[in-house]
Amino acid sequence: MGVTASHAAKRIAHVGIASMFEFIRKNRLFFIAGIGLLAALLVYTLNLPRVEKANLVERAAGNIMAPVQAEASRAAAFPLRIWNEYLSLVGVARENQLLKDDIRTMNERLALLEETRQENQRLTALLNLKDKAVEKTVSARVIGEDVTPWFKTITINCGFDDGVQDGMPVLAAGGIVGRTIKVSAGSSKVMLLTDNASGISAIIQRSRARGVVKGKGEDLCSLEFAMRGEDVQVGDQVVSSGLGGVFAKGHLIGEVTMVKKGEFGVFQTVTIRPSVNISRLEEVLVVLHKSVE
Amino acid sequence: MNNYIKFTTLIILAVVLQTSILPHYIIAAYKPDLLLVIMVYLALRTPANHTVFSAYLLGLLKDVLGGIYLGLNGFSFVLFCLLLKAVSDRLYVQSSILYVLTVGAATAITTIINLLLLIIFSQGENLITAAATLLLPHLLMNMFIASIVTAMPRYFAPLDSK
């Protein structure tokens, strides 16, 4: 009796397994597609904890593409340079006059600033504070832009061969550009301050109100966590606070273009326009030593 | 072998055009997605055995060149390619209008898949506003590029199935 029952159970199991294999065989395309999708999803999720570091595939692609991109970018800029420097000279005389006026104003301001700088030096010496360390920088050329309109990254022609590492500040003449990510031998990506994953600790220069400048994915940023009671006005300059360990204190981030205080809520909504024209970047500076306070 | 070399050259040209040449002349919102246009072409016009893997590689390449999330576009390209392969037997794939419309659909669907993945696994909430603003111009630009592809004589030539 016991032997018969065991035999029947084995047979049922055998039939079950056989029918399962038959089911898989009939629907093998769906199973292969499902496994493929799962594998693709796994690649994505397993890479999430280290999104800012370049892996072997990304480094290889960067090393292969960087020289081609550099040459293509140089070639593509040539007709534009011809147009800008030779053909598009309408209104240059008027612009020249305006610039001369600007220079005069700037010189006056410069004189005032020099006075302030000297005063600051005297007071710093008086207080026996350390000077900011001189930051070592390397200049880099923009050789590529992000292929998607949603993310805001650029590729520069400097990598760890030039001393660049992940998380180093990137600056331009106007102020902060972003920080390096996914560094390979001869090229690096720069996560721009307008990327939605970017966050920079900042202060309003005039009122010293604090917040975090986050990218909005377009060519604008927002000042998050600025308390409702803080004094923030349109036109205020926003500078890095030095907190966070990437950017030194005092680098210009941008200008406040909109302030909105709702009836309720703890924070106010502040929109910032970056001081650097992100869409027209050609050369940048990578600060090789992180900020020293 | 010859086809593989041609295909690789085409991909490199598309990447160089998209990352290093077009940004000098086109603003970000109107940036076309040439890799997606190629992926849709492959999904519609080539045999199934290599298409899905090629779509995944194209997606990975797009991830390497854009954004910070490796595998994001790889997944969405594979998913869209599988969906398209499931119905392409019943479609008149040589139709140029179908190709242009499919590129439009691919742009919208892969963007939505990417957004969902980012919202589920990362921080994609901020991207919703950007995607809402940029999707339409991006979609129209991709469809425009697709229409240029269909205007090329090679598009209507019978494909080598080997």
Side-chain angles (χ1 to χ4, degrees):
Chain A
M1 183 69 180
V3 173
T4 316
S6 150
H7 184 70
K10 272 184 188 171
R11 196 173 161 175
I12 290 167
H14 181 72
V15 170
I17 291 168
S19 61
M20 192 179 78
F21 274 115
E22 180 62 19
F23 178 74
I24 291 173
R25 199 180 62 79
K26 274 184 182 167
N27 299 291
R28 63 179 185 280
L29 277 179
F30 285 104
F31 278 98
I32 292 168
I35 290 166
L37 273 179
L38 197 66
L41 191 63
L42 271 177
V43 169
Y44 166 62
T45 48
L46 291 176
N47 269 294
L48 279 177
R50 41 181 184 280
V51 284
E52 295 189 11
K53 302 245 185 267
N55 61 25
L56 208 64
V57 177
E58 289 167 304
R59 280 184 188 178
N63 290 339
I64 293 166
M65 291 308 299
V68 186
Q69 283 181 307
E71 288 309 313
S73 179
R74 203 196 311 267
F78 184 68
L80 213 62
R81 211 166 48 236
I82 298 248
W83 173 263
N84 289 336
E85 289 174 10
Y86 300 103
L87 303 174
S88 178
L89 296 176
V90 182
V92 164
R94 187 177 144 73
E95 192 184 345
N96 198 21
Q97 190 55 48
L98 286 172
L99 287 173
K100 276 181 183 169
D101 292 345
D102 277 354
I103 287 171
R104 269 195 289 276
T105 318
M106 293 293 180
N107 280 339
E108 284 165 22
R109 282 191 194 165
L110 210 62
L112 276 173
L113 281 175
E114 182 55 28
E115 280 300 306
T116 318
R117 192 187 69 80
Q118 284 181 10
E119 186 184 351
N120 187 27
Q121 239 174 6
R122 288 196 301 273
L123 291 172
T124 307
L126 198 68
L127 288 167
N128 201 19
L129 291 175
K130 284 179 189 173
D131 260 340
K132 270 187 184 176
V134 177
E135 294 168 328
K136 197 179 167 193
T137 59
V138 60
S139 64
R141 216 159 52 79
V142 179
I143 57 167
E145 277 194 22
D146 201 296
V147 289
T148 67
W150 337 111
F151 300 114
K152 300 291 170 189
T153 62
I154 53 170
T155 310
I156 55 171
N157 67 343
C158 281
F160 54 69
D161 284 353
D162 308 282
V164 177
Q165 289 171 19
D166 286 315
M168 286 181 164
V170 181
L171 311 172
I176 289 177
V177 172
R179 65 192 157 92
T180 54
I181 53 167
K182 297 187 187 279
V183 178
S184 52
S187 67
S188 314
K189 266 190 179 184
V190 177
M191 184 200 281
L192 300 176
L193 77 162
T194 48
D195 188 276
N196 84 101
S198 161
I200 303 168
S201 177
I203 46 174
I204 301 288
Q205 199 171 39
R206 182 183 55 81
S207 64
R208 317 311 283 176
R210 286 182 181 278
V212 176
V213 173
K214 298 270 290 172
K216 289 177 81 176
E218 296 157 62
D219 283 342
L220 294 171
C221 302
S222 60
L223 186 70
E224 308 275 321
F225 312 118
M227 304 300 282
R228 210 170 166 275
E230 297 272 24
D231 178 15
V232 183
Q233 289 172 16
V234 173
D236 278 348
Q237 301 282 311
V238 185
V239 294
S240 55
S241 72
L243 301 174
V246 178
F247 297 98
K249 192 175 180 176
H251 286 303
L252 188 59
I253 294 174
E255 186 184 304
V256 176
T257 53
M258 192 194 76
V259 181
K260 207 158 76 179
K261 292 181 187 180
E263 253 182 81
F264 308 102
V266 184
F267 304 115
Q268 51 188 313
T269 309
V270 181
T271 305
I272 296 163
R273 188 180 57 229
S275 55
V276 176
N277 187 353
I278 298 289
S279 57
R280 287 280 171 263
L281 272 177
E282 286 179 46
E283 285 94 19
V284 293
L285 279 180
V286 183
V287 181
L288 295 181
H289 292 290
K290 291 183 183 175
S291 59
V292 180
E293 286 299 300
Chain B
M1 192 64 187
N2 200 18
N3 275 349
Y4 284 110
I5 293 168
K6 274 185 195 168
F7 183 64
T8 311
T9 313
L10 177 72
I11 301 291
I12 292 172
L13 276 177
V15 165
V16 168
L17 197 65
Q18 197 168 335
T19 59
S20 302
I21 298 175
L22 289 180
H24 286 282
Y25 303 97
I26 295 179
I27 60 166
Y30 290 93
K31 211 181 274 180
D33 189 345
L34 301 179
L35 296 176
L36 181 131
V37 173
I38 294 171
M39 184 273 284
V40 174
Y41 181 85
L42 288 178
L44 280 177
R45 303 290 310 276
T46 56
N49 48 358
H50 293 144
T51 311
V52 179
F53 188 61
S54 304
Y56 185 61
L57 288 183
L58 285 173
L60 274 190
L61 183 62
K62 192 177 163 187
D63 288 324
V64 169
L65 299 164
I68 55 173
Y69 305 99
L70 186 74
L72 181 70
N73 282 291
F75 178 78
S76 58
F77 273 31
V78 165
L79 188 56
F80 185 80
C81 189
L82 284 169
L83 290 173
L84 199 57
K85 274 284 158 205
V87 295
S88 65
D89 291 344
R90 276 159 269 170
L91 299 172
Y92 175 54
V93 292
Q94 286 204 320
S95 160
S96 49
I97 293 173
L98 176 84
Y99 177 62
V100 173
L101 290 176
T102 312
V103 166
T107 310
I109 291 170
T110 52
T111 304
I112 291 166
I113 296 168
N114 288 349
L115 273 178
L116 283 175
L117 282 180
L118 285 171
I119 289 166
I120 294 167
F121 294 106
S122 183
Q123 8 166 255
E125 293 82 4
N126 294 344
L127 271 176
I128 294 173
T129 327
T133 326
L134 299 173
L135 181 60
L136 188 64
H138 185 51
L139 187 145
L140 291 174
M141 191 63 179
N142 285 348
M143 287 171 79
F144 172 66
I145 298 291
S147 66
I148 293 174
V149 172
T150 61
M152 291 175 184
R154 178 78 190 154
Y155 181 79
F156 295 101
L159 286 172
D160 185 7
S161 60
K162 283 174 195 173

